[in-house]
Amino acid sequence: MATSTPIELIDQVSKRIGRYVNHDDVLVRFASLWLVVASAFTAAWLLSYLFVPQGLLRGGNPGASTGYAGSITREFLWLFGWNVGVSLIAIGANTLRSVNTPMGYVIEVVQAPWYGAVWGTGSLAIGTGARIVPSPTVLVERSGPMEITAIVAIVVATRGVMIWHQESGPRWREEFDRVQSPSDWSLTRREWALLVGGYLLLAVACYREAVAIAQVTG
């Protein structure tokens, strides 16, 4: 009986993941992409906590606040506005689709390990600079996982906002063809519900973070 090579196994796993993150059911897409993003975040968090110098990424986030805005309301508005901007960039990236994969998905999968490394190295913009010890309790106490979950919901809900499509690989060489316009876009009721829910969750996460920052700096 022939056995698969490592490359073949990776290809098989990649195709299986692709079927789920691009599923017709928006909830299946959400759960699948969330698992991918959460796995990338957790792996980077653990590895950076163990092996990367403390504080290495401090100051590396151009959107991070350089100080407390003066009130919880102003801090919340700053954080929410910044994260809404990030979400709009991800939605805009969804207008590009390579084979079956919207580019907004790629942004999330790339961003998650960077954020995990920020936690693992203690490089948050505001705080003591101590590493965040990997623990399930931390995931509940901090607002970061809620923000990630919210952005994932927004990205998968807007998967259909495609304009340009790259039909086949290799991805670094093939051109994108315009296949539709914004007038062709439509979201199902479940996609609208997930999109609105994503922004509501994002608002809650940003408010929690604003309160936490006020407690640290106040």
Side-chain angles (χ1 to χ4, degrees):
M1 182 177 178
T3 58
S4 300
T5 66
I7 294 178
E8 289 173 338
L9 286 173
I10 292 173
D11 184 60
Q12 291 171 9
V13 171
S14 177
K15 288 180 178 178
R16 179 167 295 183
I17 293 174
R19 284 198 297 270
Y20 284 107
V21 299
N22 294 302
H23 200 277
D24 289 338
D25 189 324
V26 67
L27 295 181
V28 174
R29 295 203 303 267
F30 168 70
S32 303
L33 185 61
W34 185 89
L35 285 173
V36 172
V37 169
S39 298
F41 170 86
T42 303
W45 182 16
L46 290 170
L47 292 173
S48 62
Y49 179 83
L50 294 171
F51 302 113
V52 180
Q54 183 172 341
L56 182 66
L57 301 177
R58 180 174 282 275
N61 183 1
S65 175
T66 56
Y68 182 45
S71 72
I72 291 176
T73 299
R74 287 198 292 269
E75 189 68 24
F76 162 73
L77 291 174
W78 159 251
L79 292 170
F80 186 62
W82 171 257
N83 280 282
V84 167
V86 171
S87 75
L88 293 177
I89 291 173
I91 293 173
N94 275 348
T95 61
L96 294 164
R97 184 180 301 180
S98 179
V99 191
N100 288 321
T101 305
M103 289 298 139
Y105 284 22
V106 177
I107 288 178
E108 286 309 294
V109 174
V110 170
Q111 185 182 33
W114 178 86
Y115 191 40
V118 167
W119 274 30
T121 58
S123 299
L124 292 170
I126 295 177
T128 63
R131 298 177 188 269
I132 298 178
V133 181
S135 166
T137 304
V138 176
L139 296 176
V140 177
E141 294 175 345
R142 289 187 171 265
S143 60
M146 292 177 64
E147 292 177 5
I148 292 174
T149 300
I151 298 295
V152 169
I154 292 166
V155 167
V156 299
T158 57
R159 181 181 182 274
V161 297
M162 178 178 61
I163 295 178
W164 295 278
H165 185 219
Q166 185 184 54
E167 188 173 351
S168 63
R171 299 175 191 266
W172 62 89
R173 191 172 66 192
E174 295 300 315
E175 295 183 356
F176 285 86
D177 297 318
R178 181 163 183 147
V179 295
Q180 62 180 23
S181 65
S183 62
D184 300 316
W185 295 347
S186 64
L187 272 66
T188 66
R189 289 183 179 179
R190 298 180 78 180
E191 288 171 338
W192 274 114
L194 187 63
L195 180 63
V196 172
Y199 277 112
L200 289 176
L201 181 62
L202 188 61
V204 172
C206 290
Y207 184 78
R208 285 187 61 187
E209 187 172 354
V211 171
I213 290 172
Q215 292 173 344
V216 170
T217 59

